[in-house]
Amino acid sequence: MTLYSPRTRRRRLGVATAAAGLLAALLAAGPVSATPDPGDKSSAPKSVSKSAEAEVEKAISAGDIPGQDEIVHSDNIQHVTNIPKDALPGTNSDLAFQGKYAFAGNYDGFRVFDISNPKAPKTVAQVLCPGSQNDVSVSGNLLFLSTDSSRSDDSCASTTQPATEKSSWEGMKVFDISDKANPKYVSAVETSCGSHTHTLVPEKKNVYVYVSSYSPSATFPDCQPPHDGISVIKVPRKAPQKAAVVNFPVLFPGDGADGGGNPGAPTNPGVSKTTGCHDITVLPSKDLAAGACMGDGILFSIADPENPKVIDQVQDNVNFAFWHSATFNQKANKVVFTDELGGGGAATCNAEIGPDRGADGIYDITGKGDKRKLVFKSYFKIPRHQADTENCVAHNGSLIPVKGKDLMVQAWYQGGVSVWDFTDSAKPKEIGYFERGPLTTDKMTTGGSWSAYYYNGYVYSNDIAKGFDVLKIKDARTDPASKIRLSELNVQTQPDYFG
């Protein structure tokens, strides 16, 4: 294990030179619609201009940003350890937790870690089962894996195949993890437009799975427009082989082929047209869910999990390009929505993009029952500018459970891991960070923290390129959270930490 001493960044990178190609096009268009996450393989590096390359080198030399692959962090963050990628070389994705185990998604499958000693996690299993993006969650003896790339069949030996072919398969896979060292594939359910992400609503006898997917096409036999809803799968715990879609609730009703969500361009330039949801977070203790659905943010009731009901729907056609994910605070009177400007593959944490785009949007929930409303309060974005060769934008995070406070840890791709406070909805602030310097200084190379979650006293981050990181926060504001112990955590199924 190698420990790194913190180095304080001398100042913000005040003005970043716009890189040619990707970033220049992004800036010229104003707000930019996100692109879907890549398929089975990581996106190829994209060259930047010589002037942008020189600007990155200059910023590193001046101490404005960390050096290539250099680790820096605030005084209250400790980098405990890193476990590099091993048998699964693809893009690392989401994380789930159960007892002493962490489950790490990867575009090539998933990896199981024993984290009983967070200072030295041990690999228990590596399961080869390719198919982006392999979003992962667990409940009891079951593990759920999303497939959002067109495959030749539903097996773990499948190969890529065009979505225009009727025989192609995308959807949910279910594994038995009663033996963590030997997960067994037990069933699969095909879903319309695949499964980009999924969210569990666990009950005693069954697990309901909300499947989020998007980007239909008239040329895709199994992914037809308008696709303005989500698939609901019911999985019997004692007979997971009987898992099946039981409903497709329409969340954005409307006439014609376009449905009723955000129309996107040209009506709302630079905003993604809503053709489904990207991610949903449920708060079962309150029978609530929040959906991040491309061009829309929604609040809905899951009192009847097979028939979710929309309560409120909001848009931000000025600063949000792609509603990506959602997080409730513990009192369920706030929701943090993220905007994945540039689809996670662009440099958007710089001076040109500014503090309000590619950021978090904090919304208060006002009113009661079916009359509740989402009310915008402020944006939050990391205050540390990144290089034009670093993909950086708001991504996956979780609450840090401290009574009376709204604290969160969050991944920002190559922007690293941020710890921030939104107790005052109108005045959020960063209180800690961890990051690496750019992967490359001459190309836009996709990397950084995909997911950063707080679990039983530590922060676990799945870095796209560098592997599995363990962090420790030492701060009086977050220390009370170390007393909270969970037996299971799927961040998109938020627990009642204090119930």
Side-chain angles (χ1 to χ4, degrees):
M1 178 180 69
T2 303
L3 293 178
Y4 298 81
S5 60
R7 176 173 71 81
T8 302
R9 299 180 65 163
R10 290 166 57 181
R11 60 182 174 86
R12 289 189 189 181
L13 183 58
V15 178
T17 301
L22 176 67
L23 187 61
L26 188 151
L27 294 174
V32 186
S33 60
T35 56
D37 291 50
D40 294 343
K41 298 180 180 179
S42 300
S43 56
K46 302 177 181 68
S47 295
V48 298
S49 68
K50 290 295 182 182
S51 61
E53 182 181 348
E55 187 72 18
V56 173
E57 295 287 0
K58 180 180 177 181
I60 291 173
S61 297
D64 297 330
I65 62 175
Q68 187 172 350
D69 284 336
E70 179 186 1
I71 289 179
V72 297
H73 51 82
S74 54
D75 291 341
N76 58 353
I77 302 289
Q78 176 189 359
H79 186 211
V80 178
T81 194
N82 168 264
I83 308 297
K85 290 196 284 190
D86 188 21
L88 305 175
T91 296
N92 278 337
S93 57
D94 214 354
L95 294 168
F97 305 89
Q98 187 180 82
K100 65 177 185 178
Y101 298 100
F103 303 84
N106 178 286
Y107 277 37
D108 288 326
F110 65 92
R111 188 174 182 179
V112 183
F113 290 100
D114 180 339
I115 55 172
S116 53
N117 179 4
K119 296 179 181 179
K122 296 179 180 179
T123 298
V124 176
Q126 298 187 73
V127 178
L128 179 65
C129 195
S132 72
Q133 42 184 30
N134 277 340
D135 189 33
V136 63
S137 59
V138 294
S139 183
N141 289 329
L142 300 178
L143 178 145
F144 302 86
L145 201 66
S146 285
T147 301
D148 192 39
S149 60
S150 187
R151 312 295 300 178
S152 57
D153 56 50
D154 63 5
S155 76
C156 284
S158 67
T159 57
T160 58
Q161 183 169 290
T164 52
E165 295 187 22
K166 176 62 180 173
S167 63
S168 294
W169 185 91
E170 299 180 61
M172 288 297 310
K173 294 168 182 167
V174 184
F175 290 78
D176 183 327
I177 54 168
S178 51
D179 180 355
K180 302 297 187 292
N182 295 286
K184 295 179 180 179
Y185 183 19
V186 295
S187 65
V189 181
E190 186 171 17
T191 54
S192 175
C193 299
S195 174
H196 195 71
T197 66
H198 67 270
T199 305
L200 304 186
V201 184
E203 295 188 338
K204 187 175 182 179
K205 294 183 178 180
N206 304 296
V207 179
Y208 287 98
V209 185
Y210 291 167
V211 176
S212 296
S213 56
Y214 55 95
S215 294
S217 170
T219 66
F220 299 164
D222 299 319
C223 183
Q224 292 286 300
H227 190 71
D228 47 12
I230 59 173
S231 296
V232 179
I233 298 174
K234 183 178 180 180
V235 185
R237 290 189 184 276
K238 293 185 177 180
Q241 70 277 7
K242 295 182 179 180
V245 175
V246 293
N247 196 11
F248 186 87
V250 175
L251 303 178
F252 303 98
D255 296 330
D258 292 333
N262 197 314
T267 304
N268 297 315
V271 178
S272 292
K273 176 182 177 182
T274 298
T275 57
C277 291
H278 179 277
D279 211 343
I280 292 169
T281 293
V282 297
L283 191 58
S285 62
K286 304 290 186 181
D287 286 334
L288 275 180
C293 302
M294 304 183 72
D296 295 86
I298 59 173
L299 182 71
F300 55 102
S301 167
I302 58 168
D304 178 356
E306 287 192 25
N307 297 281
K309 178 183 177 182
V310 175
I311 297 172
D312 195 25
Q313 174 181 351
V314 291
Q315 297 177 356
D316 179 347
N317 295 318
V318 175
N319 288 314
F320 260 48
F322 187 89
W323 295 67
H324 176 275
S325 54
T327 303
F328 287 99
N329 69 336
Q330 182 58 38
K331 291 182 179 180
N333 60 7
K334 299 177 188 177
V335 181
V336 174
F337 288 103
T338 68
D339 172 28
E340 195 183 43
L341 173 68
T348 69
C349 297
N350 52 30
E352 281 82 2
I353 297 299
D356 297 340
R357 297 165 59 201
D360 295 317
I362 304 166
Y363 286 74
D364 282 355
I365 301 174
T366 63
K368 295 181 179 180
D370 289 349
K371 294 184 178 181
R372 282 173 285 192
K373 296 292 182 182
L374 293 164
V375 179
F376 174 77
K377 301 299 291 186
S378 68
Y379 297 107
F380 169 77
K381 192 171 184 179
I382 57 173
R384 294 161 286 108
H385 286 174
Q386 308 295 311
D388 283 347
T389 59
E390 293 182 280
N391 61 306
C392 175
V393 75
H395 214 237
N396 294 352
S398 76
L399 290 184
I400 300 174
V402 176
K403 276 190 175 181
K405 297 288 185 180
D406 294 326
L407 305 174
M408 190 169 172
V409 60
Q410 186 176 4
W412 288 78
Y413 288 116
Q414 286 195 70
V417 175
S418 176
V419 180
W420 60 290
D421 184 332
F422 63 104
T423 306
D424 183 341
S425 301
K427 296 180 180 180
K429 60 183 179 181
E430 184 174 78
I431 61 174
Y433 69 88
F434 165 89
E435 68 169 290
R436 290 180 170 89
L439 285 169
T440 52
T441 58
D442 61 343
K443 294 180 177 66
M444 164 59 69
T445 304
T446 300
S449 179
W450 178 292
S451 299
Y453 299 146
Y454 186 93
Y455 178 70
N456 292 353
Y458 289 82
V459 172
Y460 298 91
S461 167
N462 213 17
D463 188 288
I464 289 171
K466 296 297 185 180
F468 186 69
D469 285 306
V470 183
L471 310 176
K472 181 73 173 178
I473 311 172
K474 296 183 177 181
D475 191 296
R477 292 164 289 191
T478 61
D479 286 347
S482 63
K483 298 178 182 179
I484 303 296
R485 286 291 183 267
L486 300 177
S487 59
E488 194 170 271
L489 177 64
N490 301 294
V491 168
Q492 287 74 31
T493 306
Q494 282 191 221
D496 182 350
Y497 288 101
F498 307 112

